[in-house]
Amino acid sequence: MKIVNIVVNLIEYHQLNETFVLLLKRTNGPYKNQWALPGGKVEFGERLSEAIIRETKEETGILELKNLNLFLIVNEVVSLNNTRHDHFLVNFFSSTVDNNLVESSTEGELRWFTFENLPKKLVPSDRKAIELWFKSSKSKSIEFRECDLELVSLDQQGESVDLKLKNWMSEI
């Protein structure tokens, strides 16, 4: 098994005194039926900055990102029955947009959430990243974390039904 390099984007939209975050309800892969930050795989030879712009456009239709910032890198190992299932190096970016217009996505439903009303079925590492971003005063420094996720159950197609955060290491 190889490590898959991933980019995800914490996209913020500000309206009046509220901040909204764009999430995508995944329709396939190990995070099926989980809400997640938009993003995907880095292609061979692609810079992270190119990948995040491409993935954001593909999954949301958003063409113009402001304040693009890499703020967190997570080494994420997903296990099933104590056997490693997937391994990702997740590069978390943040950005802002001027409006809340998004296109429909073939990857799943897109919806804006406030920080106080994040969905229950949110990929645990994405939830931790969102919490970290909002609690850290949106610092420009980059942090590195490691986490372990456990696939709690699989449906008959081998897709995940639920995920549990087993370990979130803030110190290495």
Side-chain angles (χ1 to χ4, degrees):
M1 181 185 328
K2 65 180 188 175
I3 299 172
V4 179
N5 201 3
I6 302 288
V7 290
V8 295
N9 197 352
L10 191 162
I11 303 168
E12 291 182 276
Y13 168 67
H14 302 276
Q15 183 177 22
L16 301 174
N17 292 330
E18 287 194 292
T19 300
F20 295 86
V21 175
L22 185 61
L23 296 176
L24 174 71
K25 190 171 186 181
R26 295 276 173 206
T27 56
N28 54 39
Y31 302 143
K32 182 178 180 179
N33 295 322
Q34 299 277 324
W35 289 94
L37 294 168
K41 296 176 186 171
V42 177
E43 295 177 357
F44 180 79
E46 191 173 38
R47 297 182 194 287
L48 292 178
S49 58
E50 295 167 338
I52 195 61
I53 291 167
R54 176 186 51 77
E55 282 292 341
T56 300
K57 180 181 174 187
E58 287 176 4
E59 293 195 350
T60 69
I62 295 173
L63 301 175
E64 188 175 338
L65 299 171
K66 295 185 175 184
N67 307 311
L68 189 61
N69 177 45
L70 176 64
F71 74 96
L72 177 65
I73 300 170
V74 175
N75 183 41
E76 182 172 297
V77 177
V78 182
S79 300
L80 175 63
N81 299 324
N82 294 318
T83 302
R84 291 185 174 176
H85 191 270
D86 290 293
H87 191 169
F88 305 106
L89 187 62
V90 187
N91 300 277
F92 286 88
F93 284 80
S94 65
S95 65
T96 58
V97 291
D98 289 334
N99 61 62
N100 63 354
L101 301 176
V102 292
E103 294 181 359
S104 61
S105 175
T106 58
E107 297 294 323
E109 176 188 353
L110 290 164
R111 190 183 307 168
W112 293 97
F113 292 89
T114 62
F115 176 70
E116 296 78 21
N117 294 309
L118 294 173
K120 288 182 182 176
K121 287 193 118 186
L122 175 58
V123 173
S125 53
D126 286 10
R127 179 181 302 280
K128 287 288 193 181
I130 293 167
E131 290 171 357
L132 182 67
W133 178 246
F134 278 93
K135 291 177 182 175
S136 70
S137 301
K138 303 177 183 180
S139 166
K140 294 272 187 196
S141 63
I142 300 172
E143 293 193 31
F144 178 79
R145 304 286 172 103
E146 293 191 291
C147 76
D148 296 308
L149 299 179
E150 179 72 25
L151 291 171
V152 177
S153 57
L154 295 176
D155 64 16
Q156 296 194 345
Q157 288 77 36
E159 304 288 346
S160 74
V161 175
D162 205 5
L163 290 160
K164 177 181 156 191
L165 182 66
K166 287 177 51 178
N167 199 3
W168 178 262
M169 294 171 268
S170 58
E171 302 283 332
I172 295 180

